[in-house]
Amino acid sequence: MRQIDLPAQIDHLRKLGTDFAALHATVTALNAHPGSEMLQQVGPKILAIHELVGRALVRLSVLDGSQYTAVPGSRSSLETLSEVIASGSLAASQLARAVADNPLEAAAFAGGPPVDDTAVHQARHAEARPLLAESLTTAAHHLDLCATCCRYTAAGIARDLKNHPEHRPSLPQLTNAQYTALDKIAQGGSRSVLAGDGSSIHATPFAVLEKHRLIRIDTQHSAIAVQDVTVTAAGKLVLDTQRPGATPSASPGKVPAPSKPGGRRR
């Protein structure tokens, strides 16, 4: 049984869900207008879907055979992630159908109607328009389903780790100051060492949170004053399990062997 970083997998799945949702928005905005413009718009979307499906396959392969499969309820998460592969492929197939149904202007066989025949042009476009609209709508539906399934899988893994401490990865025990700093960031993100509510976060607990990968700093910006900081899945797990006043859960121990699976959990 392979040991993997489960909180990191949650972060990957959340990002994947966000990317599927963004692609869903762009496909929804497409106009089913036949012609070369449709081909130029749809082609890159097909490539983007295949890239996201490939990432989903990687996540599924990493989780399969890992220690997560011993956690009660993990089967449902893996099945849901498998649906991302199927739905994403169907979305790409629908856009490919739109490419095939999209009439492009080119010369017909000798003796056929001229390429600039207005009546023929209008008839071909009128026939294709509802087919294209249906394909785009169906593709968008499947992309929306992909985004939902990614979020569901991420939430399922996080819930399983929270509810089954014996399977929980080793997490740093934070001091009150460190926990407070992490909680402030979780209230809406932060920039540099300013919390989401605008209050200051002392540099020392901030550095500890970064060291243990409980927060993520946006490194796309060079100036620290504009760096976005968010709480990772590991950080969220710490917030949930070390909340002041909460009943302490059992310490993570040896992962037991998988038992015979019961009913499917949805």
Side-chain angles (χ1 to χ4, degrees):
M1 186 177 295
R2 292 178 291 104
Q3 297 297 308
I4 63 173
D5 187 343
L6 286 173
Q9 296 306 310
I10 296 173
D11 288 329
H12 284 309
L13 287 166
R14 287 172 177 167
K15 179 62 168 63
L16 186 58
T18 298
D19 291 344
F20 266 117
L23 190 55
H24 164 261
T26 62
V27 170
T28 301
L30 291 178
N31 185 6
H33 184 71
S36 297
E37 183 179 356
M38 168 63 71
L39 176 62
Q40 298 304 319
Q41 291 180 342
V42 169
K45 302 298 184 295
I46 296 176
L47 296 176
I49 293 173
H50 285 308
E51 190 269 333
L52 294 183
V53 169
R55 285 166 54 189
L57 274 169
V58 170
R59 301 277 70 81
L60 183 62
S61 298
V62 170
L63 289 169
D64 179 46
S66 73
Q67 79 270 25
Y68 178 60
T69 58
V71 182
S74 58
R75 180 190 298 178
S76 177
S77 295
L78 296 184
E79 289 175 346
T80 303
L81 187 53
S82 298
E83 287 297 329
V84 175
I85 313 300
S87 292
S89 298
L90 287 172
S93 177
Q94 284 297 314
L95 293 188
R97 184 69 259 168
V99 170
D101 291 333
N102 181 41
L104 300 175
E105 302 307 324
F109 288 108
V115 68
D116 59 350
D117 188 305
T118 302
V120 172
H121 173 86
Q122 292 178 345
R124 295 179 70 219
H125 279 226
E127 181 182 3
R129 192 169 288 108
L131 298 177
L132 298 179
E134 181 180 0
S135 292
L136 293 180
T137 299
T138 305
H141 166 73
H142 285 296
L143 290 174
D144 185 48
L145 184 59
C146 287
T148 300
C149 287
C150 286
R151 296 188 188 108
Y152 181 94
T153 305
I157 297 175
R159 181 179 60 248
D160 292 338
L161 295 181
K162 180 181 177 182
N163 293 341
H164 299 280
E166 70 275 14
H167 295 282
R168 196 179 300 153
S170 177
L171 297 169
Q173 186 67 39
L174 301 185
T175 64
N176 289 339
Q178 293 163 357
Y179 184 95
T180 300
L182 185 61
D183 191 39
K184 282 185 176 182
I185 296 173
Q187 291 173 11
S190 70
R191 290 183 179 274
S192 183
V193 291
L194 291 180
D197 58 5
S199 58
S200 298
I201 300 176
H202 195 273
T204 299
F206 188 88
V208 171
L209 301 179
E210 183 182 6
K211 174 185 176 182
H212 290 290
R213 294 186 294 180
L214 304 182
I215 57 175
R216 181 185 300 106
I217 300 177
D218 180 7
T219 57
Q220 293 181 348
H221 302 92
S222 58
I224 189 171
V226 295
Q227 287 181 332
D228 290 325
V229 183
T230 55
V231 175
T232 64
K236 182 63 168 61
L237 193 57
V238 168
L239 286 174
D240 289 340
T241 58
Q242 298 182 20
R243 190 177 306 279
T247 302
S249 56
S251 301
K254 183 178 179 180
V255 177
S259 57
K260 182 178 293 185
R264 293 173 59 182
R265 186 195 66 182
R266 290 293 186 189

